[in-house]
């Protein structure tokens, strides 16, 4: 059978809901539950790794409101998963709820989560995919690329002046951005599995690269450990460096190649990396097309000289510029104190995973 | 007598209304008309040079709604003017309206417009100034500086990549920003009396520097002439250059000194200058502390190399950075197509008219 008008409308709404989430180890997913008249009974979306999947979120919302979902339709932007990760498999939750029909957009092609549609169908749930699949795939095109390439999703963060410098001519960089912006950046750290900096940054700033305060930690079922602190580069990190810490969550990878870093981290189970600390390291990831998300804190300051935020991207003429777009899924832009926080993602080009070259 | 609570609340509202206007030849001003119970009868604000002053706007709104303003109170963020510019003197309009009391924030200290309060008082209108005067002065601190220095108000516009380049390594710059951003910039041109570019930009891009379409021209009482097209620099502009045009609105000023340019333009009656076309010229105005407003169109592109948007600002260490702030009066930031339009003003520092040095 085909999709009815209410299901099409609901899928558009589900895609909007999906954009409320944060990018990272998991894809952005939204879900809407419709009754048989096509009215919306409940909605849900995935807020990020470690939280409920969109389907479970919508079911929980319905349950909390005392809504009977038996025989209703769930419209969801990604094929419900069949694996047990940090949360149970959505296909089982849907079967258990008595939902009669599932309409999804894109198929889940990840090896460990695919098969949800088949499981639903086997359990007698009417299941149909492909509604607005292109929009769903585009929404998660970089997450898909990361999965396909067996590497973590990569967020690159930088803090710069309005004219694109991360430090003044004499090298001073503390602090280009405000306390509010630096506090905001802590939340970025908190949602990653690993934080990567270069040996130059470790030498210059001696950062700890820890999550202070760990926002939300007290709500988690288990105490959250710190993200892995990773320094890339061949210069040995001094024994006294703050980044080493005492919790065993430190790792140096002796390479200048971002792909080697990502491969090593993926093997250790890291699924979301935050690259911060050093224009050199940030530029290396961008040059390699290995940046899936870019967060730029821009201070309303002008320096007119200093360290460029990015360099050596291999762009010699305007048409070769790396093409990004302000990312509605991340809020695109907002003030953090006096500074502007910009969030971008690479534009999809021919569905290729890499950009700029 | 003192100000009552309703007048204080209304002044805060008037300041917010003022911020809806655009900066330029005239100050930002807002006005609120209160009845004797302190209820708001009408509001108004100044939308920019050539349009009604805030007081006249509020009176017109009240008249259009059939509201009798006789004996009521007008709360306005700047002393009503007493001069006849492009619009009639507000003090006379207020006297004619029968308004009984005027509360204003800052005094008008310009030589040709001051004296409004005295005129009101002489006509029997109860007039009291100084309520939230500091806020009003801060709102227009750069406009006041321009008036004090007998120079035009200066808006500097640039179009750059996310990492602060106006051109790629090979010099290509057309177009860094989108058609939408370039169309938006036309509105900036339309509200200025003169547009300034450098000889280098004229040579490289051969721009016309005209207002295409002139948004709003059909609504004006008289056909609007083009802004004066000004090229600064010592290299003679070629006879074939597009910027010369045929309407006599072209002028070359043979200097590299922004102060000389502004002085010459002020003597010709220019009250609002748009500086565009050339990182060299833009940087010269910024270095001299002669930029009152900054509009930056930021494309979501990364170049990693190329012409810096600003250079030679005399900043060697971070604490010397030119301090600006995102300007709520200008909308601060919004998308123009895929690009971000940022609007900033210098932070007030000790009420000094210049910044950064």
């Amino acid at each position: 059978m085909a999709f009815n008008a209410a299901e099409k409308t609901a899928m558009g709404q589900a895609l909007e809901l999906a954009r409320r989430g944060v990018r990272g180890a998991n894809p952005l997913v939204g879900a809407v539950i419709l009754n048989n008249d096509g009215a919306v009974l409940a909605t849900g979306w995935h807020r990020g790794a470690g939280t409920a999947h969109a389907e479970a979120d919508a079911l929980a919302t319905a349950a909390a409101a005392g809504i009977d979902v038996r025989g209703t339709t769930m419209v969801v932007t990604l094929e419900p998963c069949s694996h047990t990760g940090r949360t149970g498999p959505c296909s089982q939750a849907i079967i258990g709820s008595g939902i009669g029909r599932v309409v999804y957009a894109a198929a889940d092609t990840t090896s460990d989560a695919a098969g949800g549609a088949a499981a639903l169908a086997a359990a007698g749930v009417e299941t149909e995919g492909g509604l607005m699949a292109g929009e769903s795939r585009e929404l998660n095109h970089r997450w898909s690329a990361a999965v396909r390439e067996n590497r973590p999703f990569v967020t690159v963060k930088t803090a710069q002046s309005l004219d694109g410098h991360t430090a003044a001519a004499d090298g001073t960089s503390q602090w280009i951005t405000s306390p509010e912006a630096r506090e905001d950046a802590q939340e970025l750290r908190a949602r990653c599995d690993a934080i990567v900096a270069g040996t130059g940054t470790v030498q210059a700033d001696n950062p700890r690269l820890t999550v202070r305060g760990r926002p939300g930690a007290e709500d988690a079922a288990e105490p959250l450990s710190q993200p892995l602190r990773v320094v890339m580069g061949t210069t040995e990190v001094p024994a006294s460096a703050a980044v080493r810490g005492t919790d065993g969550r430190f790792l140096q990878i002796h390479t200048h190649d971002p792909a080697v870093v990502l491969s090593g981290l993926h093997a250790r189970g890291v699924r979301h990396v935050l690259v911060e600390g050093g224009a050199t390291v940030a530029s290396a990831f961008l040059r390699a097309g290995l940046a899936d998300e870019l967060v730029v804190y821009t201070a309303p300051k002008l320096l007119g000289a200093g360290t460029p935020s990015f360099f050596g991207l291999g762009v010699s003429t305007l048409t070769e510029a790396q093409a990004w777009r302000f990312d509605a899924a991340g809020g695109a832009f907002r003030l953090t104190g006096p500074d502007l926080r910009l969030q971008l993602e690479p534009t999809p080009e021919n569905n290729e995973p890499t950009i700029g070259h």
Side-chain angles (χ1 to χ4, degrees), chain A:
Chain A
M1 64 175 290
F3 306 109
N4 66 39
E7 289 166 354
K8 292 175 186 175
T9 301
M11 188 62 84
Q13 187 182 351
L15 284 163
E16 282 309 307
L17 290 164
R19 290 190 179 89
R20 296 188 188 177
V22 294
R23 297 188 185 280
N26 291 0
L28 298 177
V29 185
V32 173
I33 300 174
L34 298 177
N35 72 12
N36 292 330
D37 296 327
V40 174
L41 294 177
T43 64
W45 69 95
H46 180 53
R47 287 162 180 76
T51 69
H53 285 191
E55 302 93 319
D57 187 47
L59 288 172
T61 299
I67 295 168
D68 184 356
V69 298
R70 286 176 295 178
T72 64
T73 297
M74 178 178 283
V75 175
V76 57
T77 60
L78 186 66
E79 180 185 352
C81 70
S82 66
H83 79 321
T84 302
R86 280 184 262 194
T87 59
C90 288
S91 49
Q92 291 309 312
I94 293 169
I95 292 165
S97 74
I99 276 185
R101 171 169 163 83
V102 170
V103 170
Y104 63 90
D108 190 334
T109 57
T110 58
S111 55
D112 53 349
L120 289 167
V125 180
E126 186 180 293
T127 304
E128 203 165 358
L131 175 58
M132 299 176 76
E135 286 89 333
S136 176
R137 277 196 297 267
E138 181 176 324
L139 181 64
N140 290 304
H141 73 108
R142 293 296 298 199
W143 173 82
S144 298
V147 169
R148 192 165 57 234
E149 296 168 12
N150 284 308
R151 61 168 178 81
F153 184 89
V154 177
T155 299
V156 173
K157 179 223 121 181
T158 187
Q160 66 174 26
S161 65
L162 184 62
D163 54 342
H165 298 289
T166 61
D170 69 348
T172 47
S173 65
Q174 291 181 336
W175 297 104
I176 281 206
T177 51
S178 61
E180 293 91 336
R182 301 201 304 277
E183 184 60 33
D184 190 271
Q186 283 283 316
E187 292 180 29
L188 268 183
R189 286 186 181 176
R191 73 164 98 125
C192 294
D193 305 317
I195 301 169
V196 174
T199 52
T201 294
V202 167
Q203 279 187 305
D205 299 340
N206 195 25
R208 282 176 297 177
L209 300 185
T210 50
V211 180
R212 290 188 297 276
R214 289 230 58 140
E218 64 277 12
D219 299 327
E222 297 186 320
L224 293 169
S225 61
Q226 288 283 342
L228 195 61
R229 299 181 296 280
V230 181
V231 177
M232 66 182 283
T234 51
T235 307
E236 202 62 36
V237 173
S240 62
V243 71
R244 287 187 175 273
T246 56
D247 60 359
R249 303 284 292 157
F250 165 78
L251 174 69
Q252 178 168 9
I253 303 181
H254 295 78
T255 181
H256 296 293
D257 185 345
V260 171
V261 172
L262 294 184
S263 160
L265 292 180
H266 193 267
R268 287 168 179 264
V270 168
R271 294 295 176 264
H272 188 190
V273 164
L274 175 65
V275 174
E276 66 167 285
T280 304
V281 168
S283 297
F285 276 84
L286 283 159
R287 185 168 51 245
L290 292 171
D292 303 307
E293 181 181 57
L294 184 57
V295 177
V296 181
Y297 294 93
T298 299
K301 295 173 182 169
L302 293 174
L303 291 169
T307 308
S309 49
F310 301 107
F311 59 86
L313 302 183
V315 176
S316 59
T317 192
L318 191 54
T319 52
E320 296 172 353
Q322 285 206 355
W324 292 68
R325 62 182 177 193
F326 292 104
D327 184 10
F333 42 86
R334 62 179 161 83
L335 285 174
T336 50
D339 306 319
L340 196 56
R341 180 196 195 277
L342 306 177
Q343 178 141 349
L344 302 98
E345 68 157 355
T347 58
E349 297 181 66
N350 309 315
N351 292 319
E352 286 303 309
T354 57
I355 56 157
H357 56 106

